[in-house]
Amino acid sequence: MGEKQKIPHEVIRSSIVGARTKLLKSRGLTIIGNQRLQDASSEPSWASYIRGVLALYPHSVDSDMVIESTIPIGGGLSSSAAVELATLFLLRQLTDLIDDDGMRREDCAVLCRRAENLFAHVPCGIMDQMVVCLADKDHALKIDCWNLTTESIPLRASEDTAFLVTDCGVRHKLACSEYSSRRKSVEDALKKLDKKSWRNIQEEAIIANSCILEKAQVEHALHVVSETRRAEEAANALLDNNLLKFGQLMNESHISLRDRYRVSCAELDELVKLALSVDGVFGSR
């Protein structure tokens, strides 16, 4: 699903990683938080994100680290990407290479995505890492996941307009959630259609070729293609300051996630229903 274009928003939360050079070197010993960890089997699950960044960063760094984060874990606010990028930027500072290692912010996002794919075994895309690296305050970030180009789109809404992020209380874990199976489903569908990307495939083409796809694959593919279209339309709506249109697209997106991609849940559906029952709400997903 790396071909989709996406319109995420920056949320003001943070993950901070601090470190000091170790005075006593202990080979084979990793220190994460206040836990002394001898091997990966004894680590908390989130430690794999840090271990992955340490393994993929091309320069050796020996240090003690402490981590502080205000981002809810498993709340859909990119907590893993935040700690990955915070760790990487710290490593670059410790090696005095943050300005000289030739890594663009896009390169940092790619490295951290690989760390999550290979070490946390999460088949995630690159949206979260790109947002952490490149999002600006009071802007949406349009990402072309095919070539990693971005466009920062100002949110020019009036002062009495707000984007509200609500925690439904349900925690997810991408490695074992429906996300992994959905991704495999659409990748298999793409192979059956003998295509390398969903980029230039229209919804009509998916329906016309539904005979060679499983029923679920048709629905999943229709979501991916329609969500790409909605992302383009959402970017244009924000540029035109057309929040009514943007809200309609949010509603359509939630319906597609719920009915086609089937990755919503009762709690999220109820939150959307409650939000849309309030006067003045443009949209919810």
Side-chain angles (χ1 to χ4, degrees):
M1 293 176 294
E3 292 72 35
K4 294 199 297 182
Q5 297 201 26
K6 306 179 181 183
I7 307 292
H9 299 281
E10 183 221 29
V11 177
I12 307 302
R13 291 277 183 160
S14 64
S15 286
I16 301 171
V17 180
R20 65 179 180 185
T21 302
K22 291 175 67 173
L23 300 178
L24 178 62
K25 296 183 179 181
S26 303
R27 293 188 179 277
L29 177 65
T30 303
I31 301 177
I32 298 179
N34 62 352
Q35 301 182 48
R36 302 178 70 84
L37 307 172
Q38 295 288 351
D39 57 69
S41 63
S42 65
E43 292 180 353
S45 58
W46 53 263
S48 58
Y49 302 115
I50 298 170
R51 184 178 288 279
V53 174
L54 290 170
L56 295 180
Y57 187 61
H59 304 283
S60 178
V61 180
D62 194 21
S63 64
D64 293 327
M65 292 185 180
V66 61
I67 299 169
E68 175 69 26
S69 180
T70 61
I71 304 175
I73 296 176
L77 291 177
S78 310
S79 59
S80 58
V83 76
E84 290 159 7
L85 268 301
T87 300
L88 178 57
F89 286 133
L90 174 68
L91 295 177
R92 296 174 70 204
Q93 287 183 325
L94 290 175
T95 54
D96 294 323
L97 293 173
I98 194 162
D99 296 318
D100 301 313
D101 59 6
M103 293 186 72
R104 303 171 303 155
R105 286 182 175 261
E106 293 86 349
D107 299 324
C108 294
V110 170
L111 184 148
C112 289
R113 178 199 179 182
R114 287 188 63 222
E116 192 155 342
N117 292 164
L118 297 176
F119 288 82
H121 307 295
V122 178
C124 64
I126 202 167
M127 180 183 72
D128 290 1
Q129 288 82 3
M130 290 287 283
V131 171
V132 172
C133 282
L134 296 163
D136 297 317
K137 183 179 180 181
D138 297 327
H139 286 69
L141 185 69
K142 180 182 177 183
I143 306 169
D144 188 326
C145 297
W146 183 256
N147 55 25
L148 299 188
T149 57
T150 61
E151 179 183 358
S152 189
I153 301 175
L155 303 177
R156 296 193 294 265
S158 60
E159 292 184 358
D160 60 352
T161 302
F163 288 88
L164 182 65
V165 178
T166 308
D167 187 353
C168 72
V170 176
R171 293 292 171 259
H172 72 92
K173 186 178 180 182
L174 287 180
C176 59
S177 70
E178 292 297 323
Y179 176 89
S180 300
S181 63
R182 295 298 182 274
R183 175 152 187 160
K184 185 177 187 306
S185 173
V186 295
E187 288 175 346
D188 289 346
L190 201 59
K191 291 178 182 177
K192 290 180 180 180
L193 295 173
D194 196 25
K195 301 290 185 180
K196 294 183 178 180
S197 167
W198 292 107
R199 175 174 292 271
N200 297 315
I201 299 178
Q202 304 299 318
E203 294 172 63
E204 294 78 10
I206 296 172
I207 295 173
N209 288 279
S210 59
C211 58
I212 64 174
L213 301 175
E214 298 175 9
K215 182 178 179 180
Q217 287 179 324
V218 173
E219 294 298 319
H220 299 161
L222 286 172
H223 167 74
V224 171
V225 172
S226 63
E227 192 77 343
T228 300
R229 170 181 53 78
R230 280 189 289 271
E232 287 281 4
E233 293 179 4
N236 292 330
L238 289 176
L239 288 170
D240 294 337
N241 199 25
N242 187 344
L243 294 184
L244 181 61
K245 175 65 174 178
F246 186 80
Q248 291 172 346
L249 291 166
M250 289 183 69
N251 294 335
E252 292 176 13
S253 179
H254 180 76
I255 292 171
S256 184
L257 285 164
R258 182 191 67 198
D259 297 343
R260 283 181 167 174
Y261 217 48
R262 297 188 180 276
V263 291
S264 187
C265 63
E267 293 84 355
L268 280 175
D269 294 341
E270 184 64 19
L271 275 180
V272 169
K273 180 180 177 181
L274 289 171
L276 294 178
S277 69
V278 177
D279 289 340
V281 171
F282 294 111
S284 180
R285 73 183 290 276

